[in-house]
Amino acid sequence: MAEQIEEESFAIDIDQMELPPAVAEYGNVHLRPVDSNRRLKQLFWLEFELSRFAMGWAPCFPDWDIKGELMRLAYLHTIHMKALKERIGELAGGGINERARSPVSFREGFQSLSLAPGLAEFAFAYRALVQALLEAYRKLEFEMDPILDAPSLDIFRLIEMDSRTHLEWPERFIRFAYSEQPTLNQRYTSWTLYTNQVILTMQRHAEDKAVKWPTPLAIEAIGPVPAVAAPDVRFPLHDPKIHGEANLLRDSSSPLNDSVKQMIYINATEMTSAESMAYLYYGVQNMPMDFYIDVARHTWDEVRHSQMGVRRLKQLGFQTEHFLWAGTQALTSDNLPTIFPEFYATLTMVAEPCSFFKKRKSIDAFWKFGDALSAVQSEFDISDERMHVDFGQKWGAKLFEHMEDFETAKSVQEKVRAQRLRNVGVQETEIEQLLKNFPSLCGFTTKELVYDQY
Ligand SMILES: [Fe+2]
Ligand SMILES: [Fe+2]
C-alpha cells in the first residue's frame, strides 16, 4: 500500500498538486526542496510552451533561414527542459511524469498570443514571453540558497548563455515594424498592449485554472501551423502540373543527377522533413515530454542537414534556383491522426535506415574524388540519422497508439514498410519476401546514385 501511495505521488502535475506546508508558512525565507521543485516546474512548462510557440510559427515565415532559426530556438528551449526535468526529479515533490501537461493558465496564455496577425506581432510576443521567462529565472535565482540549491543555479547559468540568442532573434522584425504602414502600425501597437496584458494575467494566475483573460483583439491570425507552409522563393517548388508526376529524388531533373554529388542535393532537400517535423511537434498532443525533447532534436538535425547541403551546393557553384524542391505536407485536423504518424514512421523506419547504404557508398566515393567536406558531412549525417532511427523505434508505436492495429514497434515497422512497397507498386507476394531482406527492401524504395561520377 505504502508503495502505491509513493507511486501515485509521482503521477501528479502542477495542476493537481496539493502542496505540503511550504515557504509561506515559514515566513517566506528559505525555499524547501518541494518549493524549488514547484518553481522549477513552472519554468519547465514555460520553456515547453515557448518551444511550441517557436516551432508552430516556423512554417509561417517564407524564408528557409528563418524557419531554421526558429526550429533552433525551439530546440534550445527543449535543452533547457531536459536539464530542468532532471533537476526536478532530484527534488521532493515529484518528477515530470508521462501524463504531465502545462498548467491551464500557461496553455491558455500562450494559445492567445500564438494567434498573432503577422510576423512582427509574433516576434513581439515571442520576445515578451522570453523576457517574462528570464525574469522568472532571475527572481528564483535570488531566492534560491547558493549552497543548498547549487545544482539548480548551475543549470540557470548555462541557460543564461542562450538568453541573448532568444532575445536578439525577434529584434529585426520588431524594431521598424510597419513603420511605413500606419494602419498595420496601429494594429501592431494594439497587439503589443494586448500581449503585455496577457503576460501579466498569466504571471498573476500561474497556478489557477479559471483565469479571466483580456478580451482578444478582433483580428485574423496567420499562424501557428498554417494550412499551407509559406514557401521560400529561392527554392522553386516542384509542380506536378508543370514538371510531371516524377518523384524528385528518383527521377530527378537536378543538374547533379548523373553525379555522386546528387547526395548533396538530397541533403539540402531535408528542410521539408524539418518543417514536417515542426508540424508534428506542434500538432501531436499528450505525448510524454521526452518525445518532444527527442523530436525537437530530430527537427534541428534535419535543419542542419539541409543547411550543410545548401552550403556545399553553393560552394560548388550552384544556386538553389538551379534545382526543384518538394513542398511541405502541412497539418490539418483531418490528417493529423493518419498522415503524421505515418510520415514519422516512414521517415524513421524506411527513409533514414535505407539512406545508410547510399550514404556509405557516397562517403567512399567522395574520399576517392578528394572531396573531404562532402565525405565528412555525410559521416556526421549518419551519426545523426542513427539516432533518429532509435527515436523512431522509441516513439513510432506510441504515435500510432490510437490506431487499434498498430501495437508494437515491430508490427508498426512491418506495416509501414509494406505500405511503402505497395505505394511503389510491388506485388503482395513479393512484399513478404522483401520484408525479410532489408537491403533489397531499400532497393525498391530509393534510387542508387552514380557513385563513379563526380
Ligand atoms: Fe537528415
Ligand atoms: Fe533524420
Side-chain angles (χ1 to χ4, degrees):
M1 189 63 194
E3 217 169 67
Q4 205 180 347
I5 290 168
E6 182 72 2
E7 250 177 44
E8 271 303 300
S9 73
F10 278 88
I12 52 176
D13 69 22
I14 200 164
D15 279 351
Q16 303 121 22
M17 213 159 130
E18 288 288 337
L19 286 179
V23 282
E25 286 155 58
Y26 294 96
N28 217 9
V29 181
H30 303 294
L31 295 186
R32 299 178 69 190
V34 72
D35 300 311
S36 289
N37 176 307
R38 189 173 56 90
R39 300 281 294 278
L40 290 173
K41 273 184 182 145
Q42 290 189 353
L43 295 170
F44 174 89
W45 292 118
L46 284 173
E47 294 277 9
F48 174 59
E49 291 295 337
L50 271 164
S51 75
R52 284 192 81 230
F53 202 67
M55 206 67 109
W57 266 79
C60 301
F61 285 81
D63 182 313
W64 277 109
D65 299 325
I66 295 170
K67 289 175 201 277
E69 286 163 14
L70 271 170
M71 293 177 208
R72 171 158 174 79
L73 292 180
Y75 163 69
L76 291 178
H77 289 300
T78 65
I79 295 189
H80 306 163
M81 285 164 65
K82 203 171 168 178
L84 291 170
K85 185 169 179 276
E86 199 181 316
R87 176 62 179 152
I88 289 165
E90 294 165 7
L91 295 163
I96 305 282
N97 73 79
E98 289 234 327
R99 285 166 290 143
R101 300 257 80 69
S102 311
V104 175
S105 59
F106 287 3
R107 257 179 281 162
E108 290 179 351
F110 274 79
Q111 204 165 38
S112 311
L113 295 182
S114 74
L115 298 175
L119 303 179
E121 283 88 347
F122 162 78
F124 179 85
Y126 178 78
R127 195 183 64 171
L129 287 162
V130 165
Q131 273 168 337
L133 171 74
L134 294 174
E135 279 162 25
Y137 274 116
R138 187 50 56 87
K139 187 165 180 292
L140 187 52
E141 187 186 325
F142 286 113
E143 287 177 52
M144 280 178 160
D145 185 299
I147 291 174
L148 306 180
D149 233 330
S152 305
L153 294 167
D154 279 337
I155 294 170
F156 292 6
R157 209 161 35 83
L158 294 176
I159 292 174
E160 172 79 28
M161 290 190 338
D162 289 334
S163 60
R164 186 165 281 271
T165 311
H166 290 289
L167 283 175
E168 279 177 359
W169 181 85
E171 196 57 28
R172 83 192 100 152
F173 300 101
I174 59 185
R175 177 152 301 272
F176 303 107
Y178 311 119
S179 55
E180 312 303 323
Q181 297 155 286
T183 319
L184 290 177
N185 194 278
Q186 218 168 28
R187 182 185 81 181
Y188 178 77
T189 308
S190 332
W191 176 263
T192 59
L193 297 173
Y194 173 68
T195 302
N196 293 337
Q197 284 171 358
V198 169
I199 291 176
L200 264 180
T201 311
M202 203 160 71
Q203 285 167 332
R204 281 195 200 124
H205 304 272
E207 289 171 27
D208 294 357
K209 283 180 192 163
V211 181
K212 195 163 168 2
W213 294 102
T215 316
L217 305 180
I219 41 181
E220 204 175 320
I222 61 157
V225 284
V228 178
D232 182 331
V233 288
R234 299 169 301 167
F235 292 76
L237 286 179
H238 173 263
D239 181 345
K241 283 194 213 108
I242 303 169
H243 307 108
E245 291 292 341
N247 179 317
L248 272 185
L249 298 185
R250 290 177 66 81
D251 315 291
S252 184
S253 58
S254 136
L256 289 173
N257 203 23
D258 294 326
S259 155
V260 64
K261 286 180 284 188
Q262 175 78 347
M263 188 72 239
I264 301 166
Y265 161 70
I266 294 174
N267 296 145
T269 63
E270 289 182 38
M271 59 201 181
T272 50
S273 304
E275 193 162 56
S276 302
M277 296 289 297
Y279 274 99
L280 175 81
Y281 187 91
Y282 191 89
V284 176
Q285 310 285 320
N286 301 324
M287 289 290 280
M289 282 299 131
D290 285 346
F291 168 80
Y292 296 98
I293 291 170
D294 287 348
V295 168
R297 169 65 200 268
H298 190 162
T299 308
W300 167 233
D301 286 348
E302 303 306 352
V303 171
R304 290 166 48 236
H305 297 164
S306 96
Q307 286 177 346
M308 77 188 188
V310 170
R311 180 178 70 180
R312 193 77 190 116
L313 287 178
K314 288 185 176 165
Q315 288 170 342
L316 294 171
F318 294 96
Q319 286 163 20
T320 53
E321 288 86 348
H322 294 158
F323 301 83
L324 290 174
W325 308 84
T328 303
Q329 165 86 59
L331 166 107
T332 67
S333 48
D334 301 335
N335 70 19
L336 176 65
T338 50
I339 294 202
F340 275 81
E342 191 174 322
F343 152 75
Y344 182 71
T346 309
L347 180 68
T348 55
M349 292 172 192
V350 183
E352 290 176 332
C354 281
S355 74
F356 293 149
F357 299 103
K358 200 152 59 178
K359 279 170 189 162
R360 287 212 186 86
K361 286 194 215 165
S362 305
I363 290 168
D364 291 344
F366 283 131
W367 282 121
K368 201 180 87 199
F369 290 117
D371 183 348
L373 181 52
S374 299
V376 168
Q377 69 183 36
S378 276
E379 288 175 352
F380 273 101
D381 190 13
I382 287 186
S383 316
D384 298 331
E385 298 300 351
R386 205 176 281 136
M387 187 168 61
H388 302 166
V389 172
D390 290 343
F391 289 164
Q393 298 282 337
K394 194 162 146 201
W395 301 115
K398 204 155 182 77
L399 266 181
F400 277 107
E401 238 166 35
H402 50 284
M403 296 167 75
E404 50 199 5
D405 56 340
F406 287 95
E407 275 146 5
T408 63
K410 192 168 158 39
S411 71
V412 172
Q413 190 166 303
E414 276 188 7
K415 280 167 206 235
V416 168
R417 287 178 176 167
Q419 191 50 49
R420 179 79 186 128
L421 292 169
R422 262 176 227 123
N423 290 349
V424 294
V426 180
Q427 297 299 311
E428 291 297 322
T429 44
E430 209 176 335
I431 288 178
E432 211 169 300
Q433 288 308 311
L434 284 169
L435 287 178
K436 291 183 194 142
N437 182 333
F438 188 59
S440 51
L441 166 120
C442 291
F444 269 95
T445 61
T446 164
K447 182 183 170 249
E448 281 290 340
L449 301 180
V450 184
Y451 301 104
D452 54 2
Q453 195 80 35
Y454 185 69

